[in-house]
Amino acid sequence: MSVDGDAGRLKTEADEPGWEVDPDDEWGVAVVEAVGRQLKLRREAVGMRAAEFGRRLGYGEDMVYKIEGGKRIARPEYMEKADEVLDARGLLKAMNEDLEKVRYPKKVREIAKLESKAVQIGVYVGLSLHGLLQTPEHARALFEARQPPYSEGEVERLVAARMARKAVFDKSPVTALSFVQEEAALRRRVGGTMVRRRQLEHLLEVAQMRNVTFQVMPTESDAHPGVDGKIELLRFADGTAVGRSDGAFNGRPTMEPKDLRILELRYSTIRAEALTSGESLAFIEQLLGET
């Protein structure tokens, strides 16, 4: 948050939402509350009121109380500025490392942790683009369409969390990623023309990465093992694996060898029936030309 130069006032939570705390994440709540207490103790130790502290940081007094009370997660720039204003000599800024671990919802952190450890990831997705393939604008449009609606702060937090997962594309050693995407999701006009165009351009960029295989499943194709829903398979360096499918094992993740063999058979069948990588690239280029 910062001072709004046009209006000459401090921006409020409604202007630029901060990070909301996931109430179901007990460890995350504890970390945020601990950081908030340290901020408050440091501020009071130097004799600075919350209003003055907020003004120095460009935040409203209400937001200062929410962060100190563990109701909001301080952004990195907040902690950096607080460290400077309170002359904490790096102690407050160092807490960004702790906040980074809880900044995103618990479920998203767990998914990202698995993806970061995987040496192979294979996914089939039908109704929407897989999160790893989405642009920020595309992801935001999807989150904004949810019912009941998310708050603005939660939308921003979820978009940031989804984009953070994309670090898997750049990790070393590289992860082998395979995607099979239904044609219908590629044709859906999420977010309007420009958002859709950028999304298709992004797909072209990702599909041409040397560790990525991207295939399109044509809508005119016959019934296949993916019609029951999404399939995800992740393999790890130690030889273990985890898989999940909307249409198998009640949608729960499984590490059972016999279950994984079933999912692998379904996924390999889907890949065999989809367009080849070259045909899929040509298909995206065609859609981009029509946009």
Side-chain angles (χ1 to χ4, degrees):
M1 296 191 178
S2 59
V3 176
D4 186 333
D6 294 331
R9 62 179 176 80
L10 291 171
K11 286 191 174 182
T12 65
E13 179 182 343
D15 293 318
E16 186 179 337
W19 300 109
E20 297 178 356
V21 182
D22 185 350
D24 297 324
D25 183 2
E26 293 183 4
W27 178 64
V29 169
V31 170
V32 174
E33 289 179 345
V35 171
R37 283 195 297 272
Q38 290 301 314
L39 281 165
K40 182 179 180 181
L41 288 171
R42 190 78 188 187
R43 175 178 62 77
E44 292 179 340
V46 300
M48 189 178 296
R49 293 182 178 276
E52 170 64 11
F53 182 59
R55 187 187 67 77
R56 297 277 297 275
L57 268 64
Y59 278 68
E61 181 180 3
D62 182 57
M63 182 59 74
V64 171
Y65 283 129
K66 284 185 177 180
I67 290 175
E68 292 182 349
K71 304 301 181 183
R72 306 285 285 192
I73 303 174
R75 297 185 182 228
E77 59 269 24
Y78 184 102
M79 298 299 293
E80 292 169 4
K81 186 65 175 177
D83 192 276
E84 177 185 334
V85 170
L86 300 177
D87 192 26
R89 300 183 180 182
L91 294 177
L92 295 179
K93 184 164 60 175
M95 292 181 184
N96 272 329
E97 185 175 339
D98 298 314
L99 293 177
E100 178 66 27
K101 298 174 183 176
V102 301
R103 185 158 287 131
Y104 307 127
K106 182 179 179 180
K107 182 178 179 180
V108 177
R109 296 202 311 268
E110 292 172 346
I111 294 173
K113 185 177 181 180
L114 286 174
E115 290 173 342
S116 68
K117 292 183 176 180
V119 295
Q120 290 182 315
I121 298 176
V123 293
Y124 159 78
V125 191
L127 296 178
S128 62
L129 290 179
H130 191 272
L132 290 176
L133 297 174
Q134 296 174 13
T135 63
E137 296 78 16
H138 184 102
R140 183 173 293 104
L142 291 178
F143 286 128
E144 289 176 345
R146 295 288 181 89
Q147 291 295 336
Y150 290 124
S151 68
E152 278 298 313
E154 190 64 7
V155 168
E156 293 303 318
R157 186 185 188 207
L158 290 169
V159 170
R162 182 158 291 180
M163 294 304 105
R165 286 171 54 196
K166 293 168 76 72
V168 70
F169 287 103
D170 303 316
K171 66 186 286 283
S172 180
V174 297
T175 301
L177 298 118
S178 168
F179 300 92
V180 180
Q181 185 71 58
E182 283 286 343
E183 174 186 343
L186 298 172
R187 291 190 177 277
R188 182 165 289 114
R189 297 183 177 277
V190 175
T193 301
M194 293 308 297
V195 170
R196 181 166 181 259
R197 183 173 183 82
R198 176 61 191 124
Q199 178 62 69
L200 291 173
E201 291 173 342
H202 180 65
L203 282 177
L204 279 178
E205 294 169 2
V206 172
Q208 294 178 79
M209 296 176 69
R210 65 185 182 86
N211 59 318
V212 175
T213 301
F214 180 83
Q215 295 175 263
V216 175
M217 179 65 77
T219 301
E220 63 182 20
S221 63
D222 202 347
H224 59 76
V227 294
D228 288 335
K230 181 166 65 174
I231 296 175
E232 297 177 289
L233 287 163
L234 289 80
R235 290 201 165 278
F236 307 101
D238 62 1
T240 61
V242 62
R244 194 192 74 81
S245 172
D246 292 338
F249 323 120
N250 296 317
R252 294 192 296 268
T254 179
M255 298 183 73
E256 291 295 327
K258 64 177 183 179
D259 296 340
L260 292 171
R261 284 195 292 271
I262 291 173
L263 295 182
E264 287 168 351
L265 175 61
R266 293 182 180 183
Y267 187 59
S268 62
T269 301
I270 289 171
R271 291 193 65 185
E273 296 184 14
L275 297 179
T276 66
S277 297
E279 292 169 336
S280 298
L281 280 173
F283 182 79
I284 299 174
E285 290 174 342
Q286 178 185 332
L287 288 180
L288 192 53
E290 297 171 356
T291 304

